[in-house]
Amino acid sequence: MSSDNFLSIGVFALVSGLSIHALRHYDELGLLPPAIVDPVTGYRRYRPEQVRQARLICALRRVDVPIDSVRVVLDDSDGESLRTVLHQHRERLVDRAQVLSRMVRTVDHYIEHGVAMPDLKTPRIVQVTINVTDLAESISFYQAAFDAVFHEEISSFQFGTWPSEEFFLLTVARELNGHGEHDGPAGVSRFGLLVEDVDAAHRRAVDAGAIEVHQPVDKPWKPRSSCVTDPSGNRIDLYQG
């Protein structure tokens, strides 16, 4: 192809809808590399055939589809992943909208009634000990499902930050094959987690590899709750915070 057929980054930005800054960023990420980069000047030039791909990226990023999901769509030559990616992203947006809606209601309450300033107090330490079948799998699950941080030096997952009422330690006693440094319960355990949104947390846990015991349900004697088991069989009760 003659060099006359290539598009400068300025022209490509104009016809694709992506800014020059975005094009440089997507080049760095390997998402949309230019066809040619001049080794002396560093000027980027694109093929006309890349316009369609760039416009797809522009459309997906306009609705905040994550970069990794965009990459999945671009790597799919058959185009079958686009619908799946959009359905998954829609669920994330619905979850986000629900969280924002609750924040708006809270702000409205503050406007009408003021902001309560409770006395600070040191929360009590809450710690539960579990066994796991595969430590690496458990670390991956609790990070993906609950954003828990694993501290290897104390063999514990940390939920929340100290000092706060959300602070909670989930300590791994041993793997069920017998390896491990701590004494713990025999077999699997059961514990509860207070979450901001039971429905969203339940769905996220299942997506991360949990097995559903029962879906979120309302009971007259307790907060809305659900139940799942982690990959090691430990039962987790999720409660609406």
Side-chain angles (χ1 to χ4, degrees), residues 90-106:
R90 185 184 187 281
E91 290 184 359
R92 287 192 294 267
L93 291 177
V94 169
D95 290 341
R96 189 188 307 173
Q98 291 173 344
V99 171
L100 290 174
S101 179
R102 286 195 300 273
M103 288 184 180
V104 169
R105 291 196 297 270
T106 300

Side-chain angles (χ1 to χ4, degrees), residues 19 29 49 59 84 89 91 95 127 135 153 199 202 217:
S19 68
L29 295 177
E49 307 92 85
T84 299
H89 185 57
E91 290 184 359
D95 290 341
Q127 183 175 11
L135 181 58
E153 65 274 13
D199 296 80
H202 181 93
V217 64

Side-chain angles (χ1 to χ4, degrees), residues 16-178:
S16 68
L18 293 169
S19 68
I20 292 176
H21 174 77
L23 288 171
R24 289 172 177 160
H25 179 58
Y26 295 147
D27 178 19
E28 293 171 356
L29 295 177
L31 193 68
L32 184 62
I36 296 175
V37 178
D38 189 294
V40 177
T41 64
Y43 289 164
R44 297 167 168 86
R45 297 174 71 81
Y46 296 82
R47 291 187 176 90
E49 307 92 85
Q50 291 180 279
V51 172
R52 183 179 182 279
Q53 187 181 49
R55 287 177 175 172
L56 176 59
I57 294 172
C58 182
L60 295 177
R61 291 297 293 152
R62 188 178 294 125
V63 292
D64 205 24
V65 173
I67 291 293
D68 288 343
S69 297
V70 174
R71 197 185 304 277
V72 169
V73 173
L74 296 180
D75 290 343
D76 180 12
S77 58
D78 297 329
E80 296 179 356
S81 64
L82 177 59
R83 192 173 183 84
T84 299
V85 163
L86 290 175
H87 275 295
Q88 292 173 343
H89 185 57
R90 185 184 187 281
E91 290 184 359
R92 287 192 294 267
L93 291 177
V94 169
D95 290 341
R96 189 188 307 173
Q98 291 173 344
V99 171
L100 290 174
S101 179
R102 286 195 300 273
M103 288 184 180
V104 169
R105 291 196 297 270
T106 300
V107 170
D108 288 341
H109 179 82
Y110 288 165
I111 291 172
E112 184 174 354
H113 303 285
V115 180
M117 301 295 289
D119 294 333
L120 295 178
K121 61 180 180 180
T122 302
R124 59 191 176 91
I125 294 292
V126 178
Q127 183 175 11
V128 173
T129 304
I130 63 171
N131 296 317
V132 301
T133 54
D134 184 312
L135 181 58
E137 180 183 43
S138 296
I139 292 174
S140 177
F141 168 74
Y142 280 101
Q143 287 177 342
F146 304 109
D147 294 323
V149 177
F150 184 74
H151 297 287
E152 187 174 357
E153 65 274 13
I154 58 173
S155 299
S156 297
F157 293 99
Q158 177 182 327
F159 297 77
T161 56
W162 174 264
S164 72
E165 294 183 354
E166 292 78 23
F167 183 76
F168 169 60
L169 290 178
L170 185 63
T171 299
V172 177
R174 66 180 74 245
E175 295 182 66
L176 290 178
N177 58 15

